[in-house]
């Protein structure tokens, strides 16, 4: 097969059939991969604190450095992928991650482990942002919303479900076994990668000197609608990281449950974030899901905060979590879809910046919940993130319906131009600047 024939032309993007489902499954695996990098070893944090003889906050730097790698890696890989295509970046990223996972197993100190976590995050970032970029290359409108809902469900499901597997593996063979599994996961994705067609043909790649690609970030930062949706997603991701970072210490150390039992708690909760992500599609317009979800999250985090300060009961804590997680799922679908729709002219850069913003929020949340009394710091951190979510959900609500960005508008701003506009599937290809997500 020639290189050109192996590229997926947008007008031929499938919405049914075997290759469509292969793409969906592969994107789900990529999305889960980015989340598993941090969340699979969360059940082992108390054990690793004792093993490396370090404090809770120092041990949680492994999470923070993983998120730094995820954030910075996306900012670099985004422009490279817009220039070279998606698949070369996918191969490079997976190889880098495999090296980081393999070497982390042999860490002799917490600081050596933390630096290998940075390498892992950098490698995982490529696959994680491509899970959002490839759909934006191929689809728009309701077709894009459908794919983003599936990927968004995994974005929320994986951080909660990964500890189930991590808790089981750590219980059986120790924390090193988790990173052997992650190493194997990256090899599996490498083996499957050749079957994935290139979603960004040569004629739609960024041309000219390399610095042009990075200038797109300036355009995106100045795009009010993109930044509102991206900040909404970032705050929601920060809230989920506050939850998953604190949960092992609350459930295991405070309430006395085992690693395996902790994994079962998290796995059960994962069902609700997936339900929330798919329920968002029933809202008309779509952005209403974020508004209702944001209001509910504000009330729920305040209620849980009061309970964490005054009522010491694991089942009350769990009940608040279930409701909060469902609402976070609503936010993920809305923010992913609308941010990528708004930034679709520069999909690689938009996906990278969207991910970077999320990991800034997440990187701040992880050590914050480990300060002093974990119950109290968790309550305060979650309420703070809920307030940001509520604010940006309402800012998103008052925005006008999103329009498909045109290449004429790009030329007026002096940005890189492509020979032809991004196409959608045959069923929803617009003939004018029609709304990309109806009444979004």
């Amino acid at each position: 097969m020639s290189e050109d024939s192996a590229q997926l032309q947008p007008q031929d993007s499938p919405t049914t059939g075997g290759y469509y489902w292969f793409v969906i499954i592969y994107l789900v695996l990529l999305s889960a991969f980015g989340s598993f990098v941090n969340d699979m070893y969360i059940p082992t944090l108390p054990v690793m604190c004792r093993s490396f003889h370090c404090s809770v906050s120092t041990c949680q730097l492994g999470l923070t450095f993983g998120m730094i790698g995820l954030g910075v890696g996306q900012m670099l890989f985004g422009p490279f992928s817009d220039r070279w295509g998606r698949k070369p970046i996918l191969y490079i990223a997976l190889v880098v991650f495999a090296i980081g996972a393999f070497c982390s197993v042999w860490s002799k100190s917490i600081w050596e482990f933390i630096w290998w976590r940075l390498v892992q995050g950098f490698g995982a970032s490529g696959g994680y942002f491509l899970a959002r970029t490839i759909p934006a290359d191929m689809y728009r409108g309701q077709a894009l919303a459908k794919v983003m809902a599936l990927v968004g469900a995994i974005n929320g499901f994986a951080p909660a479900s990964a500890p189930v597997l991590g808790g089981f593996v750590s219980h059986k063979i120790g924390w090193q076994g988790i990173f052997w599994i992650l190493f194997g996961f990256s090899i599996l994705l490498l083996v499957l990668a050749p079957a994935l067609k290139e979603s960004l043909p040569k004629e739609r790649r960024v041309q000219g000197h390399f610095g042009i690609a990075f200038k797109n970030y300036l355009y995106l930062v100045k795009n009010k609608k993109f930044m509102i949706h991206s900040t909404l997603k970032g705050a929601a991701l920060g809230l989920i990281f506050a939850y998953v970072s604190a949960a092992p210490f609350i459930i295991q150390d405070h309430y006395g449950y085992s690693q395996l039992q902790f994994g079962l708690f998290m796995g059960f909760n994962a069902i609700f974030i997936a339900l929330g992500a798919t329920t968002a599609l029933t809202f008309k317009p779509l952005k209403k899901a974020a508004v209702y979800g944001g209001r509910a999250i504000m009330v729920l985090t305040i209620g849980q905060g009061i309970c964490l300060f005054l009522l010491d009961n694991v089942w009350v804590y769990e009940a608040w979590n279930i409701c909060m997680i469902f609402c976070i799922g609503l936010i993920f679908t809305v923010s992913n879809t609308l941010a990528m729709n708004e930034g679709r002219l520069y999909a690689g850069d938009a996906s990278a910046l969207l991910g970077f913003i999320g990991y800034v929020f997440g990187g701040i949340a992880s050590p914050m919940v480990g300060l002093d009394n974990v119950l109290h710091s968790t309550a305060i951190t979650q309420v703070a993130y809920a307030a940001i979510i509520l604010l940006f959900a309402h800012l998103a609500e008052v925005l006008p319906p999103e329009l498909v960005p045109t290449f004429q508008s790009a030329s007026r701003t002096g940005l890189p131009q492509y020979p032809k506009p991004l196409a959608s599937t045959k069923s929803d290809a617009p003939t004018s600047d029609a709304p990309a997500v109806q009444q979004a």
Side-chain angles (χ1 to χ4, degrees):
M1 179 180 294
S2 68
E3 182 179 356
D4 290 339
S5 64
Q7 293 180 339
L8 186 65
Q9 297 298 325
Q11 63 270 22
D12 298 324
S13 298
T15 55
T16 58
Y19 183 71
Y20 171 77
W21 286 109
F22 169 77
V23 170
I24 295 297
I25 292 170
Y26 196 86
L27 292 175
V28 162
L29 291 175
L30 282 179
S31 182
F33 181 60
S35 296
F36 272 42
V37 170
N38 270 332
D39 304 314
M40 192 173 172
Y41 89 98
I42 281 176
T44 71
L45 288 176
V47 173
M48 292 183 74
C49 283
R50 295 188 286 270
S51 177
F52 285 119
H53 306 289
C54 64
S55 67
V56 170
S57 290
T58 300
C59 190
Q60 286 178 324
L61 285 176
L63 291 172
T64 298
F65 272 63
M67 283 184 276
I68 290 172
L70 280 161
V72 174
Q74 289 180 83
M75 293 294 285
L76 294 175
F77 283 142
F80 280 108
S81 73
D82 279 345
R83 186 179 182 86
W84 295 342
R86 313 306 184 197
K87 290 192 68 175
I89 299 304
L90 176 62
Y91 288 125
I92 292 170
L94 290 174
V95 169
V96 170
F97 176 84
I99 293 171
F102 180 83
C103 293
S104 68
V105 172
W106 312 105
S107 298
K108 302 300 182 183
S109 71
I110 187 63
W111 293 108
E112 182 181 350
F113 173 79
I114 286 171
W115 283 111
W116 283 120
R117 289 286 303 149
L118 181 66
V119 174
Q120 290 175 39
F122 188 83
S125 68
Y128 192 61
F129 96 90
L130 287 173
R132 295 186 303 269
T133 308
I134 292 173
D137 288 338
M138 298 169 62
Y139 304 109
R140 66 160 156 257
Q142 292 301 319
L144 176 61
K146 179 181 178 181
V147 175
M148 284 300 190
L150 291 171
V151 176
I154 299 303
N155 279 341
F157 185 86
S161 63
V164 179
L165 180 58
F168 177 80
V169 171
S170 177
H171 178 74
K172 294 294 183 181
I173 58 178
W175 66 265
Q176 293 91 340
I178 291 173
F179 294 95
W180 283 120
I181 289 178
L182 290 173
F183 172 78
F185 197 167
S186 63
I187 298 302
L188 172 64
L189 290 171
L190 274 170
V191 170
L192 295 175
L196 186 71
K197 298 177 183 178
E198 174 60 63
S199 63
L200 186 67
K202 288 183 178 180
E203 64 270 18
R204 286 169 49 207
R205 297 177 189 175
V206 171
Q207 306 298 320
H209 63 84
F210 189 76
I212 289 176
F214 289 94
K215 290 181 180 179
N216 294 341
Y217 285 133
L218 181 60
Y219 160 72
L220 291 167
V221 169
K222 291 181 177 179
N223 185 321
K224 178 182 176 181
K225 289 189 280 188
F226 175 82
M227 289 304 297
I228 287 175
H229 301 317
S230 296
T231 306
L232 175 61
K233 166 65 183 296
L237 194 61
L239 182 57
I240 200 75
F241 271 113
Y243 154 67
V244 297
S245 299
F249 296 98
I250 294 175
I251 294 176
Q252 293 182 56
D253 286 357
H254 184 73
Y255 289 117
Y257 288 88
S258 69
Q259 292 181 31
L260 185 57
Q261 290 170 324
F262 165 75
L264 294 175
F265 269 106
M266 301 294 277
F268 177 74
N269 294 354
I271 297 171
F272 294 90
I273 204 161
L275 287 174
T278 52
T279 300
L281 290 176
T282 65
F283 285 80
K284 305 295 181 183
L286 181 64
K287 64 177 68 177
K288 282 290 185 183
V291 176
Y292 292 129
R295 292 172 182 171
I297 286 172
M298 190 74 252
V299 173
L300 292 165
T301 54
I302 291 173
Q304 188 183 66
I306 293 172
C307 291
L308 288 173
F309 271 91
L310 302 177
L311 181 62
D312 192 10
N313 186 292
V314 67
W315 299 112
V316 173
Y317 167 74
E318 172 66 2
W320 286 113
N321 279 337
I322 289 172
C323 299
M324 180 182 72
I325 288 167
F326 175 85
C327 295
I328 292 174
L330 297 175
I331 302 291
F332 279 153
T333 293
V334 175
S335 56
N336 271 326
T337 301
L338 298 185
M340 288 306 298
N341 182 70
E342 188 61 36
R344 61 179 300 110
L345 280 182
Y346 314 102
D349 300 322
S351 179
L353 186 56
L354 177 62
F356 177 79
I357 292 170
Y359 283 108
V360 168
F361 280 98
I364 293 171
S366 293
M368 283 181 64
V369 299
L371 297 175
D372 197 27
N373 185 308
V374 68
L375 297 179
H376 297 169
S377 58
T378 297
I380 294 169
T381 302
Q382 289 184 344
V383 170
Y385 276 102
I388 299 172
I389 290 171
L390 180 62
L391 171 62
F392 281 88
H394 280 282
L395 289 175
E397 182 186 25
V398 301
L399 291 174
E402 286 71 17
L403 299 180
V404 176
T406 66
F407 287 73
Q408 289 75 19
S409 64
S411 65
R412 286 196 296 270
T413 58
L415 295 168
Q417 298 182 58
Y418 300 85
K420 60 182 179 181
L422 301 172
S424 66
T425 61
K426 293 178 180 179
S427 61
D428 69 350
T431 57
S432 63
D433 292 348
V437 179
Q438 186 177 8
Q439 296 181 346

